Amino acid sequence: MVTLWARAECKALISPLAPSLSPRTFHTHQTMRKSTERSRSRVKAFLIIGLCLPVGAVLFLWLLAMPNVSVLRATNPTVTALMEARQAQAEAQGHTIGRHWMWVPLSRISPYLHQAVVAGEDASFFTHEGFDWEGIKDAALYNLEAGKLKRGGSTITQQLAKNLYLSSERSLLRKAREALITRSLEHHLTKERILELYLNVAEWGEGVYGAEAAARHHFKKSSRDLTADEAAWLAAILPSPRRYDPMKKTTALARRHDRILNRIDQGSTQPEQEPEPEPEP
């Protein structure tokens, strides 16, 4: 009797645990867990692929559309993105503008204008590799203290990249393209060629492009004959060439002219310490 009672008690104690200890039940739970984990992994993989494919396709097409700047070593551009944008703006407003543009080699542009533009726009042009990080930092700190955008940090190479190839929209994608084109320009071209291109495509008034057209338009002479004073005036209006005119001297423009002229006389390459005239939007 005692033995039977003991067996009955043991069965009663073991029976609640029996389902959880069953090998078949344990195997079923394991299989379900693995199946759930596999399903989640598949969902994650599909999501990642679904996001990466379109982004990768856009980046691939974007890179394919990057300009081949190496052709600029020996070929001059026949038009720039800025020229086309100005023409489109004029047509949208119901009128047309002429295009005054004469290409001249760097050797036929006054050395004073070389110096003035570098002094006014990008003092470290001949030493940086496309980006003036100190200038960018100083400009950002100045603008932060001023509470608005008063000073830019773009180098001559960056300005050339925008002028030649890019629209005026403000977006991270456009800034990324600008950075890549800037690096490509610095990689494929010499500093002298970059300066030559910039001086020949820069905007110097309504429909006026390049140093030769600028000198003829504003001073009725060839760019090779510009004096230091005249070169400083042309460099002074570069941030806002359609707003300022060297023949109509404002106080701010005169201050900028005097600083640039002093740098030409002293051979100084110190960066701007005062805000430039507001650039074109």
Side-chain angles (χ1 to χ4, degrees), residues 184-196:
S184 188
L185 286 168
E186 288 280 341
H187 177 72
H188 288 97
L189 308 178
T190 65
K191 288 289 186 179
E192 287 73 18
R193 178 58 172 164
I194 291 173
L195 184 59
E196 180 180 59

Side-chain angles (χ1 to χ4, degrees), residues 231-259:
W233 281 115
L234 286 182
I237 69 172
L238 271 177
S240 304
R242 298 192 302 169
R243 179 180 301 165
Y244 293 98
D245 188 323
M247 299 297 101
K248 300 174 182 177
K249 302 172 177 62
T250 65
T251 302
L253 193 62
R255 279 203 304 265
R256 179 168 163 79
H257 161 271
D258 292 344
R259 290 197 303 274

Side-chain angles (χ1 to χ4, degrees), residues 25-77:
T25 305
F26 179 75
H27 178 71
T28 302
H29 285 319
Q30 245 187 348
T31 304
M32 291 176 64
R33 190 180 302 113
K34 288 181 180 178
S35 177
T36 303
E37 288 175 358
R38 281 198 297 269
S39 297
R40 288 176 179 170
S41 298
R42 286 196 198 98
V43 171
K44 287 180 182 178
F46 285 136
L47 286 174
I48 291 171
I49 293 171
L51 288 172
C52 288
L53 278 178
V55 172
V58 169
L59 288 175
F60 179 71
L61 293 172
W62 183 63
L63 288 172
L64 282 180
M66 289 292 289
N68 179 17
V69 304
S70 63
V71 300
L72 294 173
R73 289 173 182 165
T75 305
N76 298 327

Side-chain angles (χ1 to χ4, degrees), residues 31-275:
T31 304
M32 291 176 64
R33 190 180 302 113
K34 288 181 180 178
S35 177
T36 303
E37 288 175 358
R38 281 198 297 269
S39 297
R40 288 176 179 170
S41 298
R42 286 196 198 98
V43 171
K44 287 180 182 178
F46 285 136
L47 286 174
I48 291 171
I49 293 171
L51 288 172
C52 288
L53 278 178
V55 172
V58 169
L59 288 175
F60 179 71
L61 293 172
W62 183 63
L63 288 172
L64 282 180
M66 289 292 289
N68 179 17
V69 304
S70 63
V71 300
L72 294 173
R73 289 173 182 165
T75 305
N76 298 327
T78 56
V79 71
T80 70
L82 179 62
M83 293 175 189
E84 291 178 334
R86 294 296 189 227
Q87 190 64 44
Q89 290 169 2
E91 290 174 359
Q93 295 168 1
H95 62 89
T96 58
I97 55 174
R99 184 183 298 170
H100 307 284
W101 187 28
M102 289 166 279
W103 192 279
V104 292
L106 193 63
S107 59
R108 284 178 50 195
I109 299 174
S110 169
Y112 290 126
L113 190 60
H114 304 182
Q115 297 169 38
V117 169
V118 170
E121 295 294 291
D122 184 3
S124 59
F125 171 68
F126 287 102
T127 57
H128 66 61
E129 296 182 352
F131 306 95
D132 179 10
W133 300 113
E134 283 299 315
I136 291 171
K137 182 185 73 173
D138 292 343
L141 290 174
Y142 185 94
N143 294 333
L144 188 63
E145 291 174 1
K148 59 181 178 178
L149 187 62
K150 283 192 172 185
R151 186 187 298 172
S154 292
T155 63
I156 283 175
T157 316
Q158 286 176 277
Q159 292 178 51
L160 178 62
K162 288 185 285 189
N163 197 323
L164 286 175
Y165 300 113
L166 301 173
S167 68
S168 59
E169 70 166 320
R170 295 186 178 185
S171 68
L172 290 176
L173 191 62
R174 197 207 68 110
K175 290 298 291 183
R177 282 176 62 84
E178 177 192 311
L180 288 175
I181 295 171
T182 297
R183 288 297 300 128
S184 188
L185 286 168
E186 288 280 341
H187 177 72
H188 288 97
L189 308 178
T190 65
K191 288 289 186 179
E192 287 73 18
R193 178 58 172 164
I194 291 173
L195 184 59
E196 180 180 59
L197 286 163
Y198 180 76
L199 290 176
N200 272 286
V201 301
E203 185 180 36
W204 255 298
E206 185 79 19
V208 179
Y209 302 97
E212 185 67 20
R216 292 175 184 274
H217 177 76
H218 293 294
F219 298 110
K220 313 303 180 190
K221 61 169 60 176
S222 171
S223 60
R224 66 166 35 168
D225 299 324
L226 290 169
T227 65
D229 181 71
E230 292 164 343
W233 281 115
L234 286 182
I237 69 172
L238 271 177
S240 304
R242 298 192 302 169
R243 179 180 301 165
Y244 293 98
D245 188 323
M247 299 297 101
K248 300 174 182 177
K249 302 172 177 62
T250 65
T251 302
L253 193 62
R255 279 203 304 265
R256 179 168 163 79
H257 161 271
D258 292 344
R259 290 197 303 274
I260 292 172
L261 188 59
N262 286 336
R263 292 193 193 102
I264 294 175
D265 293 338
Q266 299 168 9
S268 172
T269 56
Q270 293 300 311
E272 287 283 340
Q273 298 300 318
E274 294 185 33

